[in-house]
Amino acid sequence: MQHSFERRLQWLVRLTLAGTVFTAVVMMVGAWTRLVDAGLGCPDWPGCYGRLLVPDSEHASLRHPDAPLEPFKAWVEMIHRYVASLLGLVVVSVVVMGWPLRKHSQYPWGLSLALLVVILLQGAFGAFTVTLKLWPQVVTLHLMGGLSVLLLFLWLYLRLRHAWKGRELKSRKTNIWWALAGFMLVIQLALGGWVSSNYAGIACQGFPTCNAQWWPEMDFSEGFHLTQTVGPNYLHGQLHADARTAIQVAHRLGALILGIALLLLWWRYRSKPKMSRSLAAVLTLYLLQVVIGVANVVFWLPLWLALLHTGGAIGLSVGFVWAWWQWRHGEADERSVRTLRSGTSAVPH
């Protein structure tokens, strides 16, 4: 029985690691879809002009005469849907494989169910992204949903690997330092999604100033009006220049505050070599992300740099969660192992 449990756990460890990597791939494909303006390449959902494969122009014009077919954009959108559907199957496979272990004390069944719920919500956000014509609120939630799936997969992988190695899970409560840094990371990721969904990536020309001013004309009330009615189509955005400038400046300020929070977190644990190294890696990822963000502004948002910025957000999120895991569980594991070893050495042979 124990051997069967360990064998199944081993396969689940592999599957969740693959799911973590694949989620990052799906997110990059989604970013590519967004950046080449293919989000409405297929005007309906889940098919494309009523079909599972991109049809010819004649069928498309009969199905949606108001939305002319652009084959490249339609295929980009459908590729994104295909890989997202495959990711959903991976999540379902994790739940199905974990079902026989759900009552085992070491198996994180609740975490598996949470992953399933989030991937279903993510599918709904994907549908609403199309049916609500790229409404910024939904597009931003779709991005945050993708990150949630990624980090849940990562956390589940770490939990399962922990159980597979037969270690007792010990954890610390999250303190104010981690809570502050984590909160600012979530806010900054949401601001990044809001910048993208409102096409405010180059609302500011130049860095560190914005349009040659330290505090340019901005309209925060319109830029962050979260209850506006759904318009006919949000492709390329509908906000005026001052509103987009407000969004871009808010994103820059958020990056500054996040950097301060991460620096304080590193300073708090600088005397602990393992945590210091983990947080130094997070700070390095943050600095790289800042450099990529500045380059996007300076070079007017080229596709490859914009994709790299999305990859940087993914890397920073994964790095932070990994460091948080090390703090919550890693040091506790080390203490338990040292205690076990000292106890073993004290037993007479």
Side-chain angles (χ1 to χ4, degrees):
M1 185 67 179
Q2 181 65 22
H3 176 73
S4 176
F5 172 75
E6 292 178 356
R7 183 69 174 170
R8 189 172 287 263
L9 267 184
Q10 184 180 21
W11 278 105
L12 281 166
V13 166
R14 294 170 179 169
L15 186 58
T16 50
L17 177 59
T20 303
V21 175
F22 190 52
T23 302
V25 172
V26 173
M27 290 186 68
M28 293 300 289
V29 174
W32 178 49
T33 303
R34 175 84 177 151
L35 290 166
V36 297
D37 295 329
L40 296 179
C42 296
D44 49 353
W45 192 93
C48 188
Y49 293 91
R51 293 187 177 179
L52 293 179
L53 295 175
V54 176
D56 56 32
S57 299
E58 182 179 355
H59 173 85
S61 62
L62 291 173
R63 182 83 180 190
H64 287 279
D66 57 326
L69 174 67
E70 296 183 61
F72 171 75
K73 292 184 178 181
W75 275 113
V76 170
E77 170 64 8
M78 287 308 293
I79 289 171
H80 179 46
R81 295 184 190 182
Y82 296 149
V83 295
S85 298
L86 184 57
L87 179 61
L89 290 177
V90 174
V91 173
V92 171
S93 299
V94 169
V95 174
V96 170
M97 286 188 66
W99 174 262
L101 311 180
R102 67 191 183 282
K103 295 183 180 179
H104 198 287
S105 60
Q106 288 183 292
Y107 188 75
W109 177 242
L111 193 57
S112 300
L113 291 181
L115 179 60
L116 179 62
V117 170
V118 173
I119 198 70
L120 291 174
L121 289 173
Q122 182 68 348
F125 287 140
F128 289 140
T129 296
V130 176
T131 57
L132 296 180
K133 308 297 183 183
L134 305 181
W135 196 33
Q137 286 85 331
V138 172
V139 174
T140 302
L141 286 173
H142 195 40
L143 169 67
M144 298 304 289
L147 284 167
S148 298
V149 172
L150 173 73
L151 299 181
L152 280 170
F153 249 130
L154 175 62
W155 200 260
L156 183 57
Y157 160 71
L158 293 171
R159 286 285 304 273
L160 290 173
R161 191 183 67 163
H162 196 92
W164 179 46
K165 290 183 177 180
R167 296 176 179 176
E168 181 184 356
L169 186 67
K170 296 182 178 181
S171 60
R172 297 172 168 179
K173 292 183 178 180
T174 300
N175 59 30
I176 186 63
W177 303 97
W178 286 99
L180 175 63
F183 175 75
M184 282 311 307
L185 178 59
V186 171
I187 293 298
Q188 182 62 4
L189 291 169
L191 283 170
W194 196 242
V195 168
S196 176
S197 61
N198 285 283
Y199 300 88
I202 50 177
C204 287
Q205 298 180 30
F207 185 87
T209 60
C210 174
N211 302 327
Q213 295 178 295
W214 288 104
W215 196 254
E217 291 292 326
M218 292 178 284
D219 187 348
F220 282 94
S221 61
E222 184 65 23
F224 292 92
H225 184 193
L226 302 181
T227 59
Q228 82 271 34
T229 57
V230 179
N233 191 324
Y234 279 87
L235 186 63
H236 304 304
Q238 295 185 354
L239 296 179
H240 58 79
D242 288 353
R244 298 191 200 205
T245 301
I247 295 172
Q248 173 64 216
V249 169
H251 187 46
R252 294 185 181 191
L253 292 175
L256 177 61
I257 298 172
L258 173 61
I260 293 171
L262 291 175
L263 189 59
L264 288 173
L265 188 62
W266 172 81
W267 183 262
R268 170 66 178 78
Y269 296 104
R270 69 191 186 283
S271 60
K272 298 184 177 182
K274 189 172 183 179
M275 283 310 308
S276 177
R277 288 193 298 270
S278 296
L279 290 172
V282 173
L283 275 172
T284 301
L285 289 169
Y286 163 80
L287 290 173
L288 285 173
Q289 182 69 340
V290 169
V291 170
I292 295 168
V294 172
N296 271 294
V297 172
V298 172
F299 297 109
W300 286 80
L301 211 64
L303 176 61
W304 70 274
L305 260 180
L307 278 172
L308 197 58
H309 200 44
T310 299
I314 292 171
L316 180 58
S317 301
V318 169
F320 181 83
V321 169
W322 171 259
W324 186 33
W325 170 272
Q326 291 291 106
W327 178 80
R328 272 180 64 87
H329 303 297
E331 292 194 356
D333 286 344
E334 289 177 1
R335 287 198 305 272
S336 63
V337 169
R338 285 197 297 268
T339 302
L340 180 62
R341 287 175 177 172
S342 62
T344 303
S345 62
V347 176
H349 294 282

